[in-house]
Amino acid sequence: MKSLKENFQKAHIVIIGSGIIGKFNALELSELGFRITIIDPYEQKNSSNAALGLMMGNMYQKRRGRSWDLRRQSIELWPKWIEFLKKFNYELNIKKPLIQLTTNEEKFKKLEKFVYENNNLNLQILKRDSIIIKNISQAFQTKNIKGMISFDDGRINATSLLKTLDKYLKNKKINFVDEEIIKIRKSNNQWFSTTKNNRDIKSDIVILCNSLKAVDLIDTLSHNIKLKPVLGQAIEVSINDAEVDLLTLPKQFNINGKNIITRSKNKLIIGSTDEYSTKPEKKIFEKITNFLDRQPTWLINGRVTKKWFGIRSRPEGEPSPIMKNLEDGLIICTGFYKNGILLAPACSKWVANEIKNYFS
Ligand SMILES: Cc1cc2nc3c(=O)[nH]c(=O)nc-3n(C[C@H](O)[C@H](O)[C@H](O)COP(=O)(O)OP(=O)(O)OC[C@H]3O[C@@H](n4cnc5c(N)ncnc54)[C@H](O)[C@@H]3O)c2cc1C
């Protein structure tokens, strides 16, 4: 009798879309022994390349439901994957801690209640006289900033993560096809993914990881899935370093919903916007820096030295993300409106379990 692994080795899986979700699925499935082909013509322009890489897992305030379950599983899986991927990039890591701040009294009360009820030493309310709060208040010239610190949450550099996954996939000799898929169909228990150049790629399984475009490849009448684009922009701001030393700030933090990454003494990254469009809004600086009642002068006078965006897909009428077994051999894993980086390990695990069951 053939072992399960031998069965897996015979099966060919096509993954359409090579963002973080497609690449992570390829990693998980290739480690199980499957033969994988990833297909993507525009991977440099996807939303994964735009991501800031913040991973808000433990600080997520809901402690039940699907969203929390996916976060909880990802939090557990990340350390194992980082350890594994270090073989391909020893510098890959999750920089901790992560700080969440607010100037809204009601929101702060909720944070306090959450931290109190959680009873987790790695999640703490920042004391008013702590050095972190003092430095942030001073830099942002405001007195009413408050918040919490999570020693278990942090940030992974998304570009570095994607490059590391590429290195792994290359090392494993995973087949990569640089073409767009325009159609998929099933015939005699096999799937055929047709490229724009009219080439058919045959496989036992197809996984749709192509974000918004996934709906173009499925029969939307029998699978009622709707996705809308949500564009996110981020900027790098350079400031006059005579006014403030940004290195006194934490490496990664969030104020009133905006993520901030300190890059150097005079450079920081701020993101992102939520624009319900496929074209980036032009005058973005005011909008993205408007997270306090009054901005400090160094920020108002800052110069945008880099600007980028990504288009995410948001499910309509159902929660994000969409992970479904649509029919025998066809799986969809899309709609990662936010947190695609954080959730990639848990979602890939779900897909792998579906496929294991299919072959068992
Ligand atoms: C500015 C910004 C900041 C963000 N910050 C964070 C953060 O801090 N933390 C976090 O967890 N998440 C963050 N995100 C969200 C995160 O980037 C997304 O959730 C995640 O990248 C979604 O990954 P994906 O693989 O589903 O989609 P994508 O990365 O968009 O990949 C989809 C791929 O499918 C390909 N494709 C489409 N159609 C076809 C086709 N027909 N044939 C072949 N290939 C096709 C595309 O070329 C693309 O490469 C941020 C997003 C943005 C825009």
Side-chain angles (χ1 to χ4, degrees), residues 38-57:
I38 310 185
I39 310 173
D40 195 325
Y42 322 107
E43 62 167 337
Q44 295 310 320
K45 293 187 190 142
N46 60 22
S47 74
S48 301
N49 278 292
L52 301 185
L54 271 82
M55 306 216 269
M56 297 184 171

Side-chain angles (χ1 to χ4, degrees), residues 273-330:
T273 54
D274 285 339
E275 300 166 37
Y276 286 83
S277 165
T278 49
K279 289 218 168 71
E281 253 181 58
K282 286 220 167 88
K283 287 193 176 150
I284 194 64
F285 183 76
E286 283 77 19
K287 201 169 179 186
I288 218 166
T289 54
N290 187 23
F291 52 85
L292 286 171
D293 288 344
R294 256 187 60 230
Q295 295 303 345
T297 44
W298 55 264
L299 188 52
I300 294 170
N301 296 329
R303 269 179 319 115
V304 176
T305 38
K306 264 188 210 159
K307 188 159 104 167
W308 64 94
F309 71 90
I311 300 174
R312 302 159 287 191
S313 54
R314 182 172 197 171
E316 278 190 290
E318 61 184 307
S320 166
I322 294 176
M323 302 193 304
K324 286 180 185 163
N325 215 328
L326 294 179
E327 48 192 284
D328 273 359
L330 179 62

Side-chain angles (χ1 to χ4, degrees), residues 97-355:
L98 193 55
I99 290 163
Q100 191 178 343
L101 302 159
T102 177
T103 50
N104 178 304
E105 198 52 43
E106 235 170 83
K107 286 197 174 139
F108 179 67
K109 287 219 165 86
K110 274 194 187 154
L111 279 186
E112 267 189 320
K113 187 167 177 275
F114 166 66
V115 170
Y116 177 75
E117 285 174 355
N118 238 286
N119 201 17
N120 172 352
L121 279 179
N122 285 330
L123 215 48
Q124 289 176 18
I125 288 295
L126 285 163
K127 296 218 168 63
R128 256 187 174 274
D129 58 356
S130 68
I131 190 80
I132 295 174
I133 289 290
K134 273 188 181 165
N135 286 347
I136 293 175
S137 305
Q138 198 178 3
F140 286 93
Q141 298 157 17
T142 177
K143 281 201 176 106
N144 58 348
I145 230 159
K146 296 173 182 178
M148 70 170 170
I149 183 164
S150 168
F151 293 99
D152 284 336
D153 289 315
R155 173 181 177 246
I156 193 160
N157 181 317
T159 315
S160 170
L161 171 64
L162 292 166
K163 279 192 182 150
T164 309
L165 287 167
D166 283 342
K167 224 168 157 186
Y168 164 83
L169 298 172
K170 205 170 165 197
N171 183 278
K172 272 271 183 158
K173 298 191 172 55
I174 304 285
N175 192 20
F176 187 88
V177 177
D178 186 2
E179 287 188 62
E180 184 182 353
I181 296 299
I182 52 163
K183 195 174 72 187
I184 55 169
R185 71 191 155 83
K186 197 177 186 187
S187 172
N188 292 335
N189 245 354
Q190 291 279 293
W191 283 92
F192 293 85
S193 304
T194 311
T195 71
K196 216 174 179 175
N197 298 329
N198 229 2
R199 185 154 72 100
D200 272 347
I201 301 170
K202 193 166 100 173
S203 65
D204 302 283
I205 305 255
V206 170
I207 312 172
L208 300 172
C209 300
N210 54 333
S211 191
L212 277 175
K213 297 286 172 76
V215 285
D216 298 349
L217 298 177
I218 56 173
D219 176 0
T220 40
L221 288 176
S222 39
H223 310 296
N224 184 23
I225 293 175
K226 290 199 182 82
L227 294 164
K228 61 183 166 195
V230 186
L231 189 146
Q233 291 196 66
I235 55 172
E236 181 191 80
V237 184
S238 289
I239 63 148
N240 177 352
D241 54 9
E243 286 183 57
V244 65
D245 178 358
L246 297 177
L247 291 178
T248 61
L249 297 174
K251 285 211 159 40
Q252 53 262 336
F253 57 107
N254 175 295
I255 304 184
N256 291 334
K258 283 283 172 284
N259 293 326
I260 301 172
I261 299 161
T262 315
R263 296 216 64 184
S264 68
K265 210 168 153 235
N266 60 353
K267 262 188 195 153
L268 45 74
I269 289 172
I270 312 176
S272 66
T273 54
D274 285 339
E275 300 166 37
Y276 286 83
S277 165
T278 49
K279 289 218 168 71
E281 253 181 58
K282 286 220 167 88
K283 287 193 176 150
I284 194 64
F285 183 76
E286 283 77 19
K287 201 169 179 186
I288 218 166
T289 54
N290 187 23
F291 52 85
L292 286 171
D293 288 344
R294 256 187 60 230
Q295 295 303 345
T297 44
W298 55 264
L299 188 52
I300 294 170
N301 296 329
R303 269 179 319 115
V304 176
T305 38
K306 264 188 210 159
K307 188 159 104 167
W308 64 94
F309 71 90
I311 300 174
R312 302 159 287 191
S313 54
R314 182 172 197 171
E316 278 190 290
E318 61 184 307
S320 166
I322 294 176
M323 302 193 304
K324 286 180 185 163
N325 215 328
L326 294 179
E327 48 192 284
D328 273 359
L330 179 62
I331 292 175
I332 188 167
C333 190
T334 185
F336 289 84
Y337 154 56
K338 285 195 170 164
N339 299 305
I341 306 286
L342 167 69
L343 300 180
C347 296
S348 308
K349 181 122 203 148
W350 180 86
V351 171
N353 283 339
E354 291 295 304
I355 294 177

